[in-house]
Every structure is written in C-alpha cells, then in structure tokens.
C-alpha cells in the first residue's frame, strides 16, 4: 500500500474516532431546553475544541502514514486502525494530566528560593 493510501485510511479512522468522541459528548441539557448541544458551554471555547480535534486527526493520519511507510500497516484495515487508535490514546493521555493551582507571589519562599509549602 502506498504512503498516501495509508495516510488517507488513517485520516478516515481518526475522523471516525473523533466523530464518535464528539457525539458522545453531545447531550440534551435543561439549559438548551432539551435540544442537543455541542460539547462547549461558551462559543468562545469552540475554536480550541475544533483545534484539538484537528490536531488529533492529524496525529492519527501521521501515525498511519508512518506505519504504512515502515511496512507495519500493509492493509487498509491496519492503517484505519492506526488512525482510530491515535486520537483515542492521545485523548486518554491528556485525561490523565492534572492541573494544579500555581502558588501566588505572596507565598513565602524557602531558603532555596522555592515556594515554602509549609507556610
């Protein structure tokens, strides 16, 4: 299979994964009076969600193309599977990232210049 065919099957696979992910996040809410709602609350959040979807889709395409070029994905189904897997793995990785509050500048610093957590 050519590199471009592997990339196209990867694109299809990652698009399917993203479509399933987005449809799973869309729910009717009381705020929308029972209508189905996009997975963002504020319209200003839409571009970053779309950007993240595009990045994961490109990652799936790239992974399938690399697997095809390396001889790992020799069939359309294998390239499709690489395309499906990449966005899902990336999404699960980012689900594991925890954001903590950064200490403020008025927090006392220890002798090494770091913020003192005991204060």
């Amino acid at each position: 299979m050519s590199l471009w065919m592997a990339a196209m099957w990867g694109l299809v696979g990652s698009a399917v994964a993203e479509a399933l992910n987005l449809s799973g996040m869309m729910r009717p809410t009381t705020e929308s009076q029972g209508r189905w709602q996009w997975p963002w609350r504020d319209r200003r959040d839409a571009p970053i969600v779309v950007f993240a979807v595009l990045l994961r889709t490109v990652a799936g395409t790239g992974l399938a193309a690399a697997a095809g070029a390396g001889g790992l994905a020799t069939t359309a189904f294998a390239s499709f599977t690489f395309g499906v897997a990449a966005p899902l793995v990336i999404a699960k990785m980012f689900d594991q990232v925890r954001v903590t509050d950064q200490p403020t500048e008025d927090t006392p610093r220890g002798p090494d210049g770091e913020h003192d957590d005991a204060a």
Side-chain angles (χ1 to χ4, degrees):
M1 173 186 320
S2 73
L3 174 69
W4 290 108
M5 286 301 292
M8 287 298 108
W9 279 111
L11 177 64
V12 170
S14 56
V16 166
E18 288 300 329
L20 290 173
N21 188 28
L22 279 175
S23 67
M25 291 190 295
M26 294 171 60
R27 297 278 183 250
T29 63
T30 54
E31 295 170 2
S32 64
Q33 299 165 348
R35 292 187 313 260
W36 287 82
Q37 193 171 350
W38 287 103
W40 48 79
R41 295 253 183 225
D42 189 353
R43 287 190 181 272
R44 293 176 293 184
D45 295 338
I48 194 67
V49 172
V50 171
F51 182 68
V53 167
L54 288 174
L55 280 179
R56 289 190 302 261
T57 304
V58 168
T61 303
L63 179 64
L72 195 59
T74 57
T75 65
F77 182 73
S79 295
F80 177 84
T81 304
F82 275 106
V84 168
L88 297 176
V89 169
I90 292 168
K92 290 299 177 188
M93 284 172 41
F94 281 111
D95 283 346
Q96 300 304 313
V97 174
R98 301 287 179 233
V99 178
T100 59
D101 292 334
Q102 295 293 324
T104 60
E105 284 303 315
D106 58 346
T107 304
R109 293 185 182 268
D112 58 355
E114 294 295 320
H115 287 285
D116 188 9
D117 293 330

